[in-house]
Short mmCIF file of all heavy atoms in Angstrom, two decimals:
data_model
loop_
_atom_site.label_atom_id
_atom_site.label_comp_id
_atom_site.label_asym_id
_atom_site.label_seq_id
_atom_site.Cartn_x
_atom_site.Cartn_y
_atom_site.Cartn_z
N ARG A 26 61.15 5.71 -8.46
CA ARG A 26 60.06 5.64 -7.51
C ARG A 26 58.90 6.56 -7.89
O ARG A 26 57.73 6.17 -7.85
CB ARG A 26 60.57 5.97 -6.11
CG ARG A 26 59.53 5.85 -5.06
CD ARG A 26 60.10 6.18 -3.71
NE ARG A 26 59.24 5.63 -2.71
CZ ARG A 26 59.60 5.34 -1.50
NH1 ARG A 26 60.85 5.55 -1.13
NH2 ARG A 26 58.77 4.84 -0.64
N ASP A 27 59.22 7.81 -8.29
CA ASP A 27 58.18 8.76 -8.69
C ASP A 27 57.39 8.23 -9.89
O ASP A 27 56.17 8.35 -9.94
CB ASP A 27 58.77 10.12 -9.03
CG ASP A 27 59.30 10.85 -7.81
OD1 ASP A 27 58.91 10.51 -6.69
OD2 ASP A 27 60.12 11.77 -8.00
N GLU A 28 58.11 7.66 -10.84
CA GLU A 28 57.47 7.13 -12.04
C GLU A 28 56.57 5.95 -11.68
O GLU A 28 55.43 5.86 -12.16
CB GLU A 28 58.54 6.70 -13.03
CG GLU A 28 58.02 6.26 -14.36
CD GLU A 28 59.13 5.90 -15.33
OE1 GLU A 28 60.32 6.06 -14.98
OE2 GLU A 28 58.80 5.45 -16.43
N LYS A 29 57.04 5.08 -10.81
CA LYS A 29 56.24 3.93 -10.38
C LYS A 29 54.98 4.40 -9.65
O LYS A 29 53.88 3.90 -9.92
CB LYS A 29 57.07 3.02 -9.47
CG LYS A 29 56.34 1.77 -9.04
CD LYS A 29 57.23 0.88 -8.20
CE LYS A 29 56.47 -0.37 -7.79
NZ LYS A 29 57.29 -1.26 -6.99
N ASN A 30 55.12 5.37 -8.78
CA ASN A 30 53.96 5.92 -8.05
C ASN A 30 52.97 6.57 -9.02
O ASN A 30 51.76 6.44 -8.86
CB ASN A 30 54.41 6.94 -7.01
CG ASN A 30 55.13 6.30 -5.85
OD1 ASN A 30 55.02 5.10 -5.61
ND2 ASN A 30 55.90 7.09 -5.13
N ARG A 31 53.50 7.25 -10.03
CA ARG A 31 52.65 7.91 -11.01
C ARG A 31 51.90 6.86 -11.83
O ARG A 31 50.70 7.00 -12.08
CB ARG A 31 53.50 8.81 -11.91
CG ARG A 31 52.79 10.00 -12.42
CD ARG A 31 53.66 11.01 -13.13
NE ARG A 31 54.69 10.45 -13.97
CZ ARG A 31 56.00 10.53 -13.72
NH1 ARG A 31 56.45 11.15 -12.65
NH2 ARG A 31 56.88 10.00 -14.55
N HIS A 32 52.57 5.79 -12.22
CA HIS A 32 51.92 4.73 -12.98
C HIS A 32 50.79 4.10 -12.15
O HIS A 32 49.71 3.83 -12.68
CB HIS A 32 52.93 3.66 -13.39
CG HIS A 32 53.84 4.10 -14.50
ND1 HIS A 32 54.56 3.19 -15.25
CD2 HIS A 32 54.15 5.32 -14.98
CE1 HIS A 32 55.28 3.84 -16.14
NE2 HIS A 32 55.04 5.14 -16.00
N GLN A 33 51.04 3.88 -10.88
CA GLN A 33 50.01 3.33 -10.00
C GLN A 33 48.83 4.29 -9.88
O GLN A 33 47.67 3.87 -9.91
CB GLN A 33 50.58 3.01 -8.63
CG GLN A 33 51.54 1.83 -8.64
CD GLN A 33 52.25 1.63 -7.31
OE1 GLN A 33 52.27 2.49 -6.44
NE2 GLN A 33 52.84 0.45 -7.17
N ALA A 34 49.12 5.58 -9.77
CA ALA A 34 48.06 6.59 -9.68
C ALA A 34 47.26 6.63 -10.98
O ALA A 34 46.03 6.75 -10.94
CB ALA A 34 48.66 7.95 -9.37
N ILE A 35 47.93 6.52 -12.11
CA ILE A 35 47.23 6.52 -13.40
C ILE A 35 46.30 5.32 -13.48
O ILE A 35 45.14 5.46 -13.88
CB ILE A 35 48.25 6.52 -14.57
CG1 ILE A 35 48.97 7.87 -14.64
CG2 ILE A 35 47.55 6.20 -15.90
CD1 ILE A 35 50.17 7.89 -15.58
N LEU A 36 46.77 4.14 -13.10
CA LEU A 36 45.93 2.96 -13.14
C LEU A 36 44.71 3.11 -12.24
O LEU A 36 43.60 2.73 -12.60
CB LEU A 36 46.73 1.71 -12.75
CG LEU A 36 47.73 1.22 -13.78
CD1 LEU A 36 48.52 0.04 -13.23
CD2 LEU A 36 47.05 0.84 -15.08
N LYS A 37 44.92 3.69 -11.06
CA LYS A 37 43.81 3.91 -10.14
C LYS A 37 42.78 4.86 -10.75
O LYS A 37 41.57 4.60 -10.69
CB LYS A 37 44.34 4.46 -8.81
CG LYS A 37 43.29 4.61 -7.76
CD LYS A 37 43.89 5.05 -6.44
CE LYS A 37 42.82 5.19 -5.38
NZ LYS A 37 43.38 5.61 -4.10
N LEU A 38 43.25 5.95 -11.34
CA LEU A 38 42.34 6.91 -11.97
C LEU A 38 41.60 6.29 -13.16
O LEU A 38 40.40 6.52 -13.34
CB LEU A 38 43.11 8.16 -12.40
CG LEU A 38 43.57 9.05 -11.26
CD1 LEU A 38 44.62 10.04 -11.75
CD2 LEU A 38 42.38 9.78 -10.65
N VAL A 39 42.29 5.50 -13.95
CA VAL A 39 41.66 4.84 -15.09
C VAL A 39 40.61 3.84 -14.58
O VAL A 39 39.52 3.75 -15.14
CB VAL A 39 42.71 4.15 -15.98
CG1 VAL A 39 42.06 3.25 -17.02
CG2 VAL A 39 43.59 5.19 -16.67
N ASP A 40 40.91 3.13 -13.52
CA ASP A 40 39.93 2.20 -12.95
C ASP A 40 38.70 2.95 -12.43
O ASP A 40 37.57 2.49 -12.60
CB ASP A 40 40.55 1.39 -11.80
CG ASP A 40 41.45 0.27 -12.30
OD1 ASP A 40 41.34 -0.11 -13.48
OD2 ASP A 40 42.25 -0.22 -11.49
N GLN A 41 38.90 4.09 -11.81
CA GLN A 41 37.80 4.86 -11.24
C GLN A 41 36.92 5.50 -12.32
O GLN A 41 35.71 5.57 -12.17
CB GLN A 41 38.33 5.97 -10.32
CG GLN A 41 38.92 5.48 -9.04
CD GLN A 41 39.60 6.59 -8.26
OE1 GLN A 41 39.79 7.70 -8.75
NE2 GLN A 41 39.98 6.29 -7.04
N HIS A 42 37.54 5.96 -13.40
CA HIS A 42 36.82 6.74 -14.41
C HIS A 42 36.62 5.99 -15.72
O HIS A 42 36.01 6.52 -16.64
CB HIS A 42 37.54 8.06 -14.68
CG HIS A 42 37.67 8.91 -13.46
ND1 HIS A 42 36.66 9.73 -13.01
CD2 HIS A 42 38.69 9.06 -12.58
CE1 HIS A 42 37.05 10.35 -11.92
NE2 HIS A 42 38.28 9.97 -11.64
N GLU A 43 37.14 4.80 -15.83
CA GLU A 43 37.09 3.94 -17.02
C GLU A 43 37.90 4.49 -18.19
O GLU A 43 38.74 3.81 -18.74
CB GLU A 43 35.65 3.67 -17.45
CG GLU A 43 35.55 2.58 -18.48
CD GLU A 43 34.14 2.16 -18.78
OE1 GLU A 43 33.29 2.20 -17.88
OE2 GLU A 43 33.90 1.80 -19.94
N VAL A 44 37.63 5.73 -18.59
CA VAL A 44 38.39 6.38 -19.66
C VAL A 44 38.78 7.77 -19.15
O VAL A 44 37.94 8.47 -18.59
CB VAL A 44 37.56 6.52 -20.95
CG1 VAL A 44 38.33 7.28 -22.01
CG2 VAL A 44 37.13 5.16 -21.46
N VAL A 45 40.05 8.13 -19.33
CA VAL A 45 40.50 9.45 -18.88
C VAL A 45 41.23 10.16 -20.01
O VAL A 45 41.88 9.53 -20.83
CB VAL A 45 41.40 9.38 -17.63
CG1 VAL A 45 40.62 8.94 -16.41
CG2 VAL A 45 42.58 8.46 -17.85
N GLN A 46 41.11 11.46 -20.03
CA GLN A 46 41.80 12.30 -21.00
C GLN A 46 43.24 12.52 -20.54
O GLN A 46 43.51 12.64 -19.34
CB GLN A 46 41.10 13.66 -21.11
CG GLN A 46 39.67 13.59 -21.58
CD GLN A 46 39.56 13.37 -23.08
OE1 GLN A 46 40.49 13.67 -23.83
NE2 GLN A 46 38.44 12.85 -23.50
N VAL A 47 44.15 12.60 -21.49
CA VAL A 47 45.55 12.85 -21.18
C VAL A 47 45.72 14.17 -20.42
O VAL A 47 46.44 14.24 -19.42
CB VAL A 47 46.40 12.84 -22.48
CG1 VAL A 47 47.82 13.29 -22.21
CG2 VAL A 47 46.38 11.46 -23.10
N ASN A 48 45.01 15.22 -20.86
CA ASN A 48 45.16 16.51 -20.19
C ASN A 48 44.60 16.48 -18.76
O ASN A 48 45.12 17.15 -17.87
CB ASN A 48 44.54 17.65 -21.01
CG ASN A 48 43.07 17.45 -21.29
OD1 ASN A 48 42.50 16.39 -21.04
ND2 ASN A 48 42.45 18.48 -21.84
N GLU A 49 43.57 15.67 -18.51
CA GLU A 49 43.06 15.52 -17.15
C GLU A 49 44.09 14.85 -16.25
O GLU A 49 44.32 15.27 -15.12
CB GLU A 49 41.77 14.70 -17.14
CG GLU A 49 40.59 15.38 -17.76
CD GLU A 49 39.37 14.48 -17.85
OE1 GLU A 49 39.52 13.24 -17.95
OE2 GLU A 49 38.26 15.03 -17.82
N LEU A 50 44.72 13.80 -16.77
CA LEU A 50 45.76 13.11 -15.98
C LEU A 50 46.89 14.07 -15.63
O LEU A 50 47.37 14.07 -14.50
CB LEU A 50 46.31 11.91 -16.76
CG LEU A 50 45.41 10.69 -16.86
CD1 LEU A 50 46.00 9.68 -17.84
CD2 LEU A 50 45.22 10.05 -15.50
N ALA A 51 47.32 14.87 -16.60
CA ALA A 51 48.40 15.82 -16.34
C ALA A 51 48.02 16.80 -15.24
O ALA A 51 48.82 17.10 -14.36
CB ALA A 51 48.76 16.56 -17.63
N GLN A 52 46.78 17.29 -15.27
CA GLN A 52 46.31 18.22 -14.24
C GLN A 52 46.21 17.53 -12.89
O GLN A 52 46.67 18.06 -11.88
CB GLN A 52 44.96 18.81 -14.63
CG GLN A 52 45.04 19.79 -15.77
CD GLN A 52 43.66 20.28 -16.20
OE1 GLN A 52 42.63 19.74 -15.81
NE2 GLN A 52 43.64 21.32 -17.01
N TRP A 53 45.57 16.37 -12.85
CA TRP A 53 45.37 15.65 -11.58
C TRP A 53 46.69 15.30 -10.91
O TRP A 53 46.81 15.32 -9.70
CB TRP A 53 44.55 14.39 -11.79
CG TRP A 53 43.10 14.63 -12.14
CD1 TRP A 53 42.37 15.75 -11.87
CD2 TRP A 53 42.24 13.74 -12.84
NE1 TRP A 53 41.10 15.60 -12.36
CE2 TRP A 53 40.98 14.39 -12.96
CE3 TRP A 53 42.40 12.48 -13.38
CZ2 TRP A 53 39.89 13.79 -13.58
CZ3 TRP A 53 41.31 11.89 -14.01
CH2 TRP A 53 40.07 12.54 -14.10
N LEU A 54 47.69 14.94 -11.73
CA LEU A 54 48.98 14.49 -11.18
C LEU A 54 50.03 15.59 -11.16
O LEU A 54 51.15 15.37 -10.73
CB LEU A 54 49.48 13.28 -11.97
CG LEU A 54 48.54 12.06 -11.93
CD1 LEU A 54 49.06 10.97 -12.85
CD2 LEU A 54 48.38 11.55 -10.51
N ALA A 55 49.66 16.79 -11.62
CA ALA A 55 50.54 17.96 -11.60
C ALA A 55 51.87 17.70 -12.31
O ALA A 55 52.94 17.98 -11.78
CB ALA A 55 50.76 18.44 -10.17
N VAL A 56 51.76 17.15 -13.52
CA VAL A 56 52.94 16.93 -14.37
C VAL A 56 52.62 17.42 -15.77
O VAL A 56 51.47 17.71 -16.09
CB VAL A 56 53.37 15.44 -14.40
CG1 VAL A 56 53.84 14.98 -13.03
CG2 VAL A 56 52.26 14.56 -14.93
N SER A 57 53.64 17.49 -16.60
CA SER A 57 53.45 17.99 -17.96
C SER A 57 52.74 16.94 -18.84
O SER A 57 52.73 15.74 -18.53
CB SER A 57 54.81 18.33 -18.58
OG SER A 57 55.55 17.15 -18.81
N LEU A 58 52.18 17.43 -19.94
CA LEU A 58 51.57 16.52 -20.91
C LEU A 58 52.59 15.54 -21.47
O LEU A 58 52.27 14.37 -21.69
CB LEU A 58 50.94 17.32 -22.06
CG LEU A 58 49.66 18.08 -21.73
CD1 LEU A 58 49.27 18.99 -22.90
CD2 LEU A 58 48.53 17.12 -21.41
N GLU A 59 53.82 16.01 -21.66
CA GLU A 59 54.88 15.14 -22.18
C GLU A 59 55.17 13.99 -21.21
O GLU A 59 55.36 12.85 -21.63
CB GLU A 59 56.17 15.93 -22.44
CG GLU A 59 56.07 16.91 -23.59
CD GLU A 59 55.35 18.22 -23.21
OE1 GLU A 59 55.18 18.51 -22.00
OE2 GLU A 59 54.95 18.94 -24.13
N THR A 60 55.16 14.29 -19.92
CA THR A 60 55.41 13.25 -18.91
C THR A 60 54.29 12.21 -18.94
O THR A 60 54.55 11.01 -18.94
CB THR A 60 55.53 13.87 -17.51
OG1 THR A 60 56.66 14.74 -17.49
CG2 THR A 60 55.68 12.81 -16.43
N ILE A 61 53.04 12.67 -18.99
CA ILE A 61 51.91 11.74 -19.04
C ILE A 61 51.95 10.90 -20.31
O ILE A 61 51.75 9.69 -20.26
CB ILE A 61 50.57 12.51 -18.94
CG1 ILE A 61 50.38 13.05 -17.53
CG2 ILE A 61 49.39 11.61 -19.32
CD1 ILE A 61 50.27 12.00 -16.44
N ARG A 62 52.25 11.54 -21.42
CA ARG A 62 52.31 10.78 -22.69
C ARG A 62 53.40 9.72 -22.64
O ARG A 62 53.20 8.59 -23.09
CB ARG A 62 52.54 11.74 -23.86
CG ARG A 62 51.33 12.57 -24.18
CD ARG A 62 51.57 13.44 -25.40
NE ARG A 62 50.42 14.30 -25.64
CZ ARG A 62 50.44 15.61 -25.63
NH1 ARG A 62 51.59 16.27 -25.41
NH2 ARG A 62 49.36 16.31 -25.84
N ARG A 63 54.54 10.06 -22.08
CA ARG A 63 55.63 9.08 -21.94
C ARG A 63 55.20 7.93 -21.04
O ARG A 63 55.41 6.76 -21.35
CB ARG A 63 56.89 9.78 -21.41
CG ARG A 63 58.10 8.86 -21.33
CD ARG A 63 59.36 9.59 -20.89
NE ARG A 63 59.18 10.30 -19.63
CZ ARG A 63 59.20 11.63 -19.49
NH1 ARG A 63 59.40 12.41 -20.53
NH2 ARG A 63 59.03 12.18 -18.31
N ASP A 64 54.57 8.28 -19.90
CA ASP A 64 54.09 7.25 -18.98
C ASP A 64 53.07 6.33 -19.66
O ASP A 64 53.15 5.10 -19.55
CB ASP A 64 53.42 7.88 -17.75
CG ASP A 64 54.41 8.51 -16.78
OD1 ASP A 64 55.62 8.21 -16.86
OD2 ASP A 64 53.96 9.31 -15.94
N LEU A 65 52.13 6.94 -20.38
CA LEU A 65 51.09 6.13 -21.04
C LEU A 65 51.68 5.24 -22.13
O LEU A 65 51.24 4.11 -22.31
CB LEU A 65 50.01 7.05 -21.62
CG LEU A 65 49.18 7.81 -20.59
CD1 LEU A 65 48.18 8.73 -21.28
CD2 LEU A 65 48.46 6.87 -19.62
N ASN A 66 52.69 5.74 -22.85
CA ASN A 66 53.36 4.90 -23.85
C ASN A 66 54.01 3.69 -23.20
O ASN A 66 53.89 2.57 -23.69
CB ASN A 66 54.40 5.71 -24.63
CG ASN A 66 53.78 6.63 -25.65
OD1 ASN A 66 52.67 6.41 -26.11
ND2 ASN A 66 54.51 7.68 -26.00
N GLU A 67 54.71 3.91 -22.09
CA GLU A 67 55.35 2.81 -21.37
C GLU A 67 54.31 1.82 -20.86
O GLU A 67 54.50 0.60 -20.96
CB GLU A 67 56.17 3.35 -20.19
CG GLU A 67 57.41 4.12 -20.60
CD GLU A 67 58.12 4.76 -19.41
OE1 GLU A 67 57.87 4.36 -18.26
OE2 GLU A 67 58.92 5.68 -19.65
N MET A 68 53.22 2.34 -20.31
CA MET A 68 52.18 1.48 -19.76
C MET A 68 51.46 0.71 -20.86
O MET A 68 51.10 -0.45 -20.66
CB MET A 68 51.20 2.32 -18.94
CG MET A 68 51.86 2.93 -17.70
SD MET A 68 50.82 4.13 -16.86
CE MET A 68 49.61 3.02 -16.14
N GLN A 69 51.29 1.33 -22.02
CA GLN A 69 50.68 0.62 -23.15
C GLN A 69 51.61 -0.48 -23.64
O GLN A 69 51.17 -1.59 -23.94
CB GLN A 69 50.37 1.60 -24.28
CG GLN A 69 49.71 0.92 -25.47
CD GLN A 69 49.21 1.91 -26.48
OE1 GLN A 69 48.06 2.26 -26.44
NE2 GLN A 69 50.08 2.37 -27.38
N ASP A 70 52.91 -0.20 -23.70
CA ASP A 70 53.89 -1.21 -24.11
C ASP A 70 53.87 -2.42 -23.18
O ASP A 70 54.14 -3.54 -23.60
CB ASP A 70 55.30 -0.63 -24.16
CG ASP A 70 55.50 0.35 -25.31
OD1 ASP A 70 54.64 0.39 -26.23
OD2 ASP A 70 56.49 1.10 -25.27
N LYS A 71 53.54 -2.20 -21.91
CA LYS A 71 53.46 -3.29 -20.92
C LYS A 71 52.10 -3.97 -20.92
O LYS A 71 51.87 -4.91 -20.17
CB LYS A 71 53.75 -2.74 -19.52
CG LYS A 71 55.18 -2.29 -19.34
CD LYS A 71 55.38 -1.72 -17.95
CE LYS A 71 56.80 -1.22 -17.78
NZ LYS A 71 57.01 -0.61 -16.45
N GLY A 72 51.17 -3.47 -21.73
CA GLY A 72 49.85 -4.08 -21.82
C GLY A 72 48.90 -3.70 -20.70
O GLY A 72 47.91 -4.37 -20.47
N LEU A 73 49.19 -2.60 -19.99
CA LEU A 73 48.36 -2.19 -18.86
C LEU A 73 47.18 -1.32 -19.26
O LEU A 73 46.14 -1.34 -18.62
CB LEU A 73 49.21 -1.44 -17.83
CG LEU A 73 50.37 -2.23 -17.22
CD1 LEU A 73 51.23 -1.32 -16.36
CD2 LEU A 73 49.82 -3.39 -16.41
N ILE A 74 47.36 -0.52 -20.29
CA ILE A 74 46.32 0.40 -20.74
C ILE A 74 46.28 0.40 -22.26
O ILE A 74 47.19 -0.11 -22.92
CB ILE A 74 46.56 1.85 -20.25
CG1 ILE A 74 47.90 2.36 -20.79
CG2 ILE A 74 46.48 1.97 -18.75
CD1 ILE A 74 47.94 3.84 -20.99
N GLN A 75 45.22 1.02 -22.79
CA GLN A 75 45.12 1.29 -24.22
C GLN A 75 45.02 2.79 -24.40
O GLN A 75 44.30 3.45 -23.65
CB GLN A 75 43.86 0.65 -24.82
CG GLN A 75 43.90 -0.82 -24.91
CD GLN A 75 42.60 -1.36 -25.51
OE1 GLN A 75 41.53 -0.80 -25.30
NE2 GLN A 75 42.71 -2.43 -26.25
N ARG A 76 45.73 3.32 -25.37
CA ARG A 76 45.63 4.74 -25.70
C ARG A 76 44.91 4.88 -27.01
O ARG A 76 45.11 4.11 -27.94
CB ARG A 76 47.03 5.34 -25.85
CG ARG A 76 47.76 5.46 -24.55
CD ARG A 76 49.01 6.24 -24.73
NE ARG A 76 48.67 7.63 -25.09
CZ ARG A 76 49.52 8.48 -25.59
NH1 ARG A 76 50.76 8.14 -25.81
NH2 ARG A 76 49.16 9.71 -25.89
#
Side-chain angles (χ1 to χ4, degrees):
R26 183 180 200 157
D27 290 340
E28 186 178 356
K29 183 177 180 180
N30 290 341
R31 211 171 39 248
H32 286 198
Q33 290 173 345
I35 290 169
L36 288 176
K37 185 176 180 180
L38 288 165
V39 170
D40 283 342
Q41 290 172 350
H42 300 278
E43 192 172 328
V44 176
V45 291
Q46 298 283 337
V47 172
N48 59 350
E49 291 174 332
L50 286 171
Q52 289 176 348
W53 291 337
L54 299 174
V56 294
S57 69
L58 287 171
E59 292 79 15
T60 297
I61 289 297
R62 288 184 184 119
R63 184 176 54 247
D64 287 342
L65 294 177
N66 284 336
E67 290 174 18
M68 295 171 72
Q69 181 171 265
D70 290 345
K71 292 178 182 178
L73 299 172
I74 60 151
Q75 289 180 326
R76 289 189 65 196

